[in-house]
Amino acid sequence: MIITGRIDLSVGSVFALLGVLLSMMLTEWHWPPAAAVSVVLGLGAGIGCMHGLLITRLRLQPFIVTLCGLLLYRGIARYIAEDTTKGFGSQGFQWLRRLATGSVLSIPMPFVLLMLVAASMGVMLHRSIYGRHLFAVGLNAEAARYSGINTNNVITAAYMISGSLAGLAAILIAFYTNSISPSSHGNFYELYAIAAAVLGGCSLRGGEGSIAGIVIGAALLQVLRNLVNLLDIPGSLDFAVMGAVILIGVIADQILRPGFKPAE
């Protein structure tokens, strides 16, 4: 989405809503795990599709649409959970637990899944026609439209892909924490995502970025958070550090832009 020049502020609330629903499906409604996972992934894609349609068909600003989503999904999660913490207990759902906390040849499963997703997204972004269309829309949506690209479909598909991946992340995070508090689960994760993308070389104006850069940016973000702890920087400044990282990235992106000249 950032490569298309758009943004999504609702990711953390999507984690909370889908995590609560997943817990209720498995522990209260006793759905088969495969069905619950399929529904969560489908709901993620559906949320992304709704965002994309509102942005492309009604010409609403992505910031407003996803900000409303941030509030809406968090509120729904709290309502259906009756503002109580949900979880999965200590037994059952072993194959889902292994996805979140297990390992393969001493390699954590979440890292294996990250590499698989990164590889598939890398092929899509850098080796497919759709990927070229994404960059074209991010660089100049009007020019892309005049060149025959259906920019509305490209943007909507980007939101659907993002929503599906948010659904996958919601499953992993829910089983990793084994506890979903609808009022706080996933708080500020959208800021971590934006910061990782900026650190990885994505331009918030769109049209620039790579999967490898984003993966490296996510790793650097975690290293940065660990440094905050190692340097005995107060935890209360954690978000201040994140904000500073995003600001520095945006400033660097602006200054390094070809033809940039500071205002007189």
Side-chain angles (χ1 to χ4, degrees), residues 30 70 101 103 114 118-119 125 137 155 208 211 215 232 254:
H30 304 293
L70 180 151
T101 61
S103 62
L114 169 65
L125 186 61
V137 170
I155 294 169
E208 298 177 20
I211 297 300
V215 171
D232 289 330
Q254 182 72 9

Side-chain angles (χ1 to χ4, degrees), residues 192-243:
Y192 298 144
I194 296 169
V198 170
L199 279 174
C202 283
S203 171
L204 294 178
R205 296 190 312 273
E208 298 177 20
S210 68
I211 297 300
I214 293 170
V215 171
I216 293 171
L220 288 175
L221 183 64
Q222 188 60 43
V223 170
L224 182 63
R225 295 189 67 190
N226 289 339
L227 281 176
V228 169
N229 296 327
L230 292 174
L231 296 176
D232 289 330
I233 297 175
S236 56
L237 290 176
D238 189 23
F239 293 119
V241 173
M242 298 300 107

Side-chain angles (χ1 to χ4, degrees), residues 3-196:
I3 288 175
T4 68
R6 275 79 186 169
I7 201 168
D8 189 348
L9 299 177
S10 66
V11 172
S13 296
V14 169
F15 289 166
L17 175 59
L18 296 183
V20 165
L21 286 174
L22 179 65
S23 173
M24 295 177 70
M25 289 176 195
L26 293 175
T27 62
E28 298 179 22
W29 305 339
H30 304 293
W31 286 24
V37 167
S38 299
V39 169
V40 167
L41 295 176
L43 285 174
I47 289 171
C49 182
M50 181 180 66
H51 289 171
L53 292 176
L54 289 173
I55 290 165
T56 58
R57 307 302 176 180
L58 298 184
R59 306 298 179 189
L60 300 181
Q61 289 294 320
F63 180 88
I64 297 300
V65 171
T66 57
L67 177 63
C68 292
L70 180 151
L71 301 173
L72 177 64
Y73 307 140
R74 180 75 62 184
I76 294 174
R78 296 182 66 175
Y79 176 76
I80 62 176
E82 298 179 347
D83 228 2
T84 59
T85 299
K86 298 293 183 178
F88 304 97
S90 58
Q91 302 296 326
F93 321 117
Q94 293 304 315
W95 68 274
L96 286 173
R97 293 183 192 276
R98 283 195 293 271
L99 284 178
T101 61
S103 62
V104 176
L105 300 176
S106 300
I107 302 173
M109 273 302 299
F111 182 78
V112 174
L113 291 174
L114 169 65
M115 292 298 101
L116 292 175
V117 170
S120 60
M121 291 297 101
V123 171
M124 183 204 71
L125 186 61
H126 303 296
R127 295 289 184 270
S128 72
I129 294 174
Y130 176 72
R132 291 197 292 272
H133 288 178
L134 274 176
F135 281 107
V137 170
L139 286 169
N140 191 321
E142 196 67 21
R145 187 178 299 110
Y146 281 121
S147 68
I149 297 173
N150 190 326
T151 56
N152 289 343
N153 287 351
V154 170
I155 294 169
T156 302
Y159 273 92
M160 289 183 67
I161 293 169
S162 177
S164 299
L165 294 178
L168 175 61
I171 295 168
L172 295 177
I173 294 171
F175 273 94
Y176 181 79
T177 61
N178 202 35
S179 176
I180 303 102
S181 174
S183 61
S184 61
H185 188 76
N187 269 351
F188 300 109
Y189 273 53
E190 56 278 344
L191 299 184
Y192 298 144
I194 296 169

